[in-house]
Amino acid sequence: VSSLNGAVRAVPVRPGEHACCRFADAGDRERLAIAFVRDGLERGEKVMYYADRDDVARMLTRLEEMDPHLEPALTGGQLEVRPASETYMPAGRFDSDQMLGVVRDEYERALEEGYTGLSMTGEIPVALCEAPGREQLALYEARLERDHESVPADAPPYSILCQYDHGRFAPAILSDVAEAHQVDVSPELAPIGRNGHLAAARDRAHDALRLSGELDYGCAQTVSEVLDAHFHGPLRLDLADLSYVDVAGMRALRGRKGQPVTIASASEAVRRLLELLAWDTDPGIELAEAG
Amino acid sequence: MSLTHGIFIYDDDDTMLQKMAPFLESGLERGEAAVVVVARRKWELLADALGPAGKKVSHIDCGAFYTRPEDALAGYDLVMRQLLRDGASAVRAFAELPRCEAEEEWSSWIAYEAIVNRALEHHPFWVMCGYDRRELPEALIEGGLQTHQHVLADGWERNAHYRIPERVVAYHAPPPTPLRELRALPVEDGPRAFRERLSAELSKSGVPEYEAGDIVVAAGEVLANAQLHGGERVSVGVGCLGDQFVCEISDDGPGIDDPLAGYVPPRLGTSDGAGLWVARQLTRRLELVPTPGRFSVRLWAAADNGA
């Protein structure tokens, strides 16, 4: 199912979603982006990566270092890496019409080239913080979200992961930007992703915390700490993409205080453990029906 | 109200009907739920004797219910939790173990009867275990007398033969299977890498996929116990003994000296000991093996390796 060297796919973004990642640490963003790229490649989609580096060749080397499996996709053209600044700010300024055009064109091109869909991730250039047109960013993301929602359900998916450096963009811009995404991989969730086989995101559309990958006693403590620090009151969880969970992991989801939780969606692994732990009849746990 | 676990020994159908039909009826009259876990023939006799009240009694076939002690314990716990959630104030049951031929089989059911006293003690559950002399070996009936706090003769009586469950279970626990040397699996690089290694070993040994998945989860729980609560030096060995795959997880800590460990279902609001419960539920055979200086848990699976 998966291979060693930590290359487990823990991607809290599902096909066809518009997500933003707001981690402050470049390494954290990169780890998530690589998982997103691999996920798209494995689904047979075209994958575009817009890297905010002066030297795209160095970015290619970096990608191959992080995941040697990406090399054939790069050679074969399934994965393309482009400089972000030239794409987002072609004449030194950001223009939302122009950028929306890029996304639409790439989607069409992916389908013309015979791919099953498009996965696109961009490191929003840090230079954009100061560039003319920067006030259009939130507007652009909102229009992209609307565009995205209008894609028919049976059309090939296009998934977008927008990467924002939390330390560089103004808080007001970031909060508008986050609101324009269905899925928000918000800064406080970064520690959860650091062991490489678990990832978390806020599903804004369903007001749920989503966990994907494998939640075991090795990372349970981190999850528990993040929940205690940042999630107060009733918690709504989307655990449909949790392929593995153990007792310590399940316990962590209730935090230190054993708070009530709603499990909006559960994978087979989660469902089985809930039954074994008798949590399926626990009044503190609301479990949405299967299917 | 908590558990009342009684034994009713009889040798003809009429006696069974005379005692059990009123037992269930009086529970129904008090608004309690009623469950009967017996073979079809006896259920038909009882349903007939109960008349219209029989429609309010749930029947579970004992052959399908008593597959193995771990499943029966989980089964009763689930039935209780569901009936209570659905509004029952208490539950009465008349239940009979399946017929068993081999000594190791009845030995495990004697241990099961002992465990019931602890595993279900918090439930408002009045369970009457029928022991039919026509069907059960004498040794099993003797075991039954040691494992029920109450006995039904002319009326209800405290059972003088009752022994504390831990002793009964320890006495009936089968000795650990002698093992040759196992191959060591590293565990230092975290649970995720360990699961990958174990999966590869299970697949190499021809353990069917569904069982392999369960063993990986079970071994994960046992390893978590060892690494979080056990000694400093944790080690894992795997190998095959004939057509059986075994994974042994050891540490140099004090180990577990409770013979009931992992047999007691997790209760609301607590999850102590839940890891071993999960491991037992998912493993066809789980052995606790204390040796001088080390404590091991062994998980067994069927291997289709041509042996």
Side-chain angles (χ1 to χ4, degrees), chain A residues 2 20 27 55 68 73 75 94 98 108 112 160 181 188-190 195 206 228 230-231 242 259 268 274:
Chain A
S2 48
C20 66
D55 190 344
T75 324
F94 178 75
Q98 177 269 332
E108 275 172 32
E112 275 165 22
I160 306 165
H181 291 84
E188 74 284 357
L189 302 176
N195 76 4
H206 301 96
D228 279 338
H230 301 282
F231 291 79
L242 212 48
Q259 63 179 332
E268 193 67 27
L274 285 173

Side-chain angles (χ1 to χ4, degrees), chain A residues 2-4 8 197 214 216-218 244-248 251 272-273 275-283, chain B residues 77-78 81 85 191-192 195-196 214 216-217 220-221 223-224 227-228 266 268 271 274-275 277-278 281-282:
Chain A
S2 48
S3 56
L4 272 169
V8 186
H197 59 264
E214 307 190 9
D216 59 32
Y217 68 96
Y244 181 91
V245 65
D246 65 10
V247 171
R251 207 179 295 171
R272 177 170 65 171
L273 201 57
E275 284 167 15
L276 287 169
L277 288 174
W279 284 19
D280 52 342
T281 53
D282 187 327
Chain B
D77 186 59
L78 179 65
R81 287 186 285 114
R85 185 193 57 190
R192 156 87 206 151
R195 289 197 293 277
E196 296 241 335
D214 285 353
V216 169
V217 175
E221 295 298 349
L223 183 62
Q227 291 192 322
L228 300 175
L268 193 62
S271 42
W277 163 262
V278 167
Q281 288 292 312
L282 295 177

Side-chain angles (χ1 to χ4, degrees), chain B residues 107-185:
Chain B
S107 201
S108 77
W109 287 113
I110 293 171
Y112 159 80
E113 289 278 35
I115 296 165
V116 163
N117 298 298
R118 296 271 188 264
L120 306 174
E121 66 185 350
H122 57 301
H123 286 308
F125 188 32
W126 190 353
V127 56
M128 184 59 50
C129 298
Y131 277 67
D132 188 336
R133 286 192 187 280
R134 296 170 299 180
E135 295 173 359
L136 301 179
E138 192 52 37
L140 184 49
I141 296 175
E142 269 174 38
L145 278 169
Q146 295 179 351
T147 52
H148 295 76
Q149 286 153 303
H150 303 271
V151 61
L152 179 61
D154 293 333
W156 283 105
E157 288 166 22
R158 281 241 159 230
N159 176 12
H161 304 283
Y162 181 72
R163 297 182 61 203
I164 67 162
E166 285 75 7
R167 287 226 186 108
V168 177
V169 175
Y171 178 80
H172 287 279
T177 317
L179 274 188
R180 287 167 309 175
E181 204 155 301
L182 299 172
R183 273 193 313 289
L185 281 193

Side-chain angles (χ1 to χ4, degrees), chain A residues 214-247:
Chain A
E214 307 190 9
L215 171 53
D216 59 32
Y217 68 96
C219 48
Q221 172 93 19
T222 307
V223 170
S224 171
E225 283 165 8
V226 169
L227 291 181
D228 279 338
H230 301 282
F231 291 79
H232 305 287
L235 182 62
R236 195 176 159 80
L237 294 164
D238 174 349
L239 306 178
D241 294 338
L242 212 48
S243 57
Y244 181 91
V245 65
D246 65 10
V247 171

Side-chain angles (χ1 to χ4, degrees), chain B residues 178 267 269:
Chain B
R267 295 190 195 173

